[in-house]
Amino acid sequence: MKHILMIATGGTIASRQSGRGLAPSLTGEELLEFLPDLSRICRVVVENPMSLDATDMTAQDRMQLAELIWKNYPLYDGFVIAHGTDTLSYTAALLYHVLRNFNKPVVITGAQVPLGMPDSDAEQNLIDAFKVASSAYCGVCAVLHRRIIRGNHVVKVHTTELDCFRSVNAPQAGRVDPITGKVILNIVPWLGGEPFFVEEIDPNVVLMKLIPDLDPSIITFLSKYKKVIIEGFGSGGIPVRLEKVVQKLILSGTKVYLTSQCIEGETNLHKYEVGRRAEAMGAVSLGHRSTEDALAAIMCGEL
Ligand code: ASP
């Protein structure tokens, strides 16, 4: 039987009404009390490193999770993280980029309705997460609403629907069959070599969303940052009226990356003049990456 480390971090899945709104309250051990049949799937040890609404989670918290997994890598067959759904995609992407060539499953799950509440999705998501953590999957993925999504393609697309995550710009890695309950893997990621851990990251990355009438002086203000992502329109590019300030930003030593406000598809700076001029200035296209994936790759120095 597989030996799994469960890491509880808070989120709706572990929340109760505080009188001032939902807030995380249950520990990992308390979550497991709702899963009496789990012992048929795997053996579980619990860690409770934090109890946060995912809105409050920083890159430092995410690195604490990554270190915990890396430290315990030899001791367990797989890992399950119970997490708030709101920034689950950022955690999935960062863990994907810092736990390289990871040849055991690291499964992140959460819920839109707290465990034990009517119509909660929490129990199903947790059971499915433990099944995937006990499977042949390699590396970081999210498991929610029967979907298995690779860590660098996870995006939350709905605030309240139970089926609120999608695999963006890549086929789903697999699913948990609703009839048989079996894990069906479409993709077991290819591993390029020995597992290693990226210990140092630089979280000082800024993301700015363009609006059609953005005040150019806001871009000037960004020169105190070394890495700036500009989320533009469609295939990507810089509006003519912002070209001068963006050029100045790049010349001052800030690296400027361009992505798109479209969730699906890729940033292609070759298609339009506004894109080609941006590229000629030195802006770098983020291609098909989601914002979360791009942020994590930049923090890790891959881009
Ligand atoms: N605000 C909650 C959180 O992200 C939402 C959730 O878990 O679904 O922690």
Side-chain angles (χ1 to χ4, degrees), residues 194-214:
E194 281 294 301
F196 68 95
F197 176 44
V198 178
E199 285 173 44
E200 293 288 328
I201 64 160
D202 177 8
N204 287 314
V205 184
V206 169
L207 169 72
M208 203 199 57
K209 182 171 186 156
L210 285 189
I211 52 169
D213 299 288
L214 187 87

Side-chain angles (χ1 to χ4, degrees), residues 100-282:
R100 302 304 297 181
N101 297 332
F102 209 76
N103 53 12
K104 295 180 180 181
V106 176
V107 182
I108 312 179
T109 193
Q112 292 279 63
V113 180
L115 188 61
M117 297 291 168
D119 300 322
S120 172
D121 50 338
E123 192 178 328
Q124 190 67 65
N125 285 347
L126 270 176
I127 289 282
D128 288 350
F130 281 110
K131 284 183 183 173
V132 177
S134 306
S135 77
Y137 191 87
C138 287
V140 180
C141 66
V143 171
L144 295 118
H145 205 75
R146 308 288 194 176
R147 299 177 188 274
I148 306 172
I149 305 171
R150 277 186 82 175
N152 56 334
H153 292 285
V154 182
V155 175
K156 185 174 179 182
V157 295
H158 203 288
T159 55
T160 53
E161 290 282 329
L162 301 189
D163 186 11
C164 61
F165 283 90
R166 293 291 179 275
S167 181
V168 163
N169 282 338
Q172 219 167 263
R175 64 195 164 87
V176 183
D177 189 278
I179 296 166
T180 64
K182 290 219 157 69
V183 173
I184 297 163
L185 298 178
N186 303 333
I187 307 162
V188 178
W190 179 80
L191 297 172
E194 281 294 301
F196 68 95
F197 176 44
V198 178
E199 285 173 44
E200 293 288 328
I201 64 160
D202 177 8
N204 287 314
V205 184
V206 169
L207 169 72
M208 203 199 57
K209 182 171 186 156
L210 285 189
I211 52 169
D213 299 288
L214 187 87
D215 174 359
S217 67
I218 289 175
I219 291 182
T220 310
F221 167 78
L222 296 177
S223 65
K224 66 178 190 179
Y225 297 98
K226 287 280 149 268
K227 293 170 179 180
V228 170
I229 304 174
I230 297 181
E231 200 179 271
F233 312 115
S235 298
I238 298 292
V240 175
R241 58 185 202 85
L242 298 180
E243 270 181 6
K244 267 203 188 106
V245 279
V246 173
Q247 175 82 85
K248 225 171 140 192
L249 184 66
I250 292 172
L251 290 175
S252 75
T254 295
K255 193 146 182 190
V256 172
Y257 304 88
L258 296 185
T259 186
S260 175
Q261 291 171 24
C262 297
I263 292 175
E264 302 265 4
E266 70 170 338
T267 303
N268 176 357
L269 299 183
H270 291 277
K271 195 168 172 189
Y272 297 99
E273 274 188 21
V274 286
R276 289 201 188 194
R277 285 202 303 264
E279 196 171 47
M281 273 185 229

Side-chain angles (χ1 to χ4, degrees), residues 37-98:
D37 293 337
L38 186 61
S39 56
R40 291 199 207 143
I41 300 171
C42 53
R43 283 188 298 132
V44 181
V45 169
V46 177
E47 291 267 4
N48 294 286
M50 60 197 77
S51 180
L52 296 174
D53 189 298
T55 301
D56 287 325
M57 222 182 244
T58 62
Q60 206 184 341
D61 298 317
R62 297 187 164 90
M63 287 306 283
Q64 192 187 336
L65 300 179
E67 276 166 30
L68 187 57
I69 292 168
W70 184 244
K71 202 177 76 195
N72 284 288
Y73 167 72
L75 305 180
Y76 295 94
D77 300 305
F79 301 84
V80 167
I81 303 174
H83 198 290
T85 63
D86 288 345
T87 63
L88 187 152
S89 56
Y90 290 88
T91 302
L94 192 61
L95 293 188
Y96 175 90
H97 284 277
V98 298

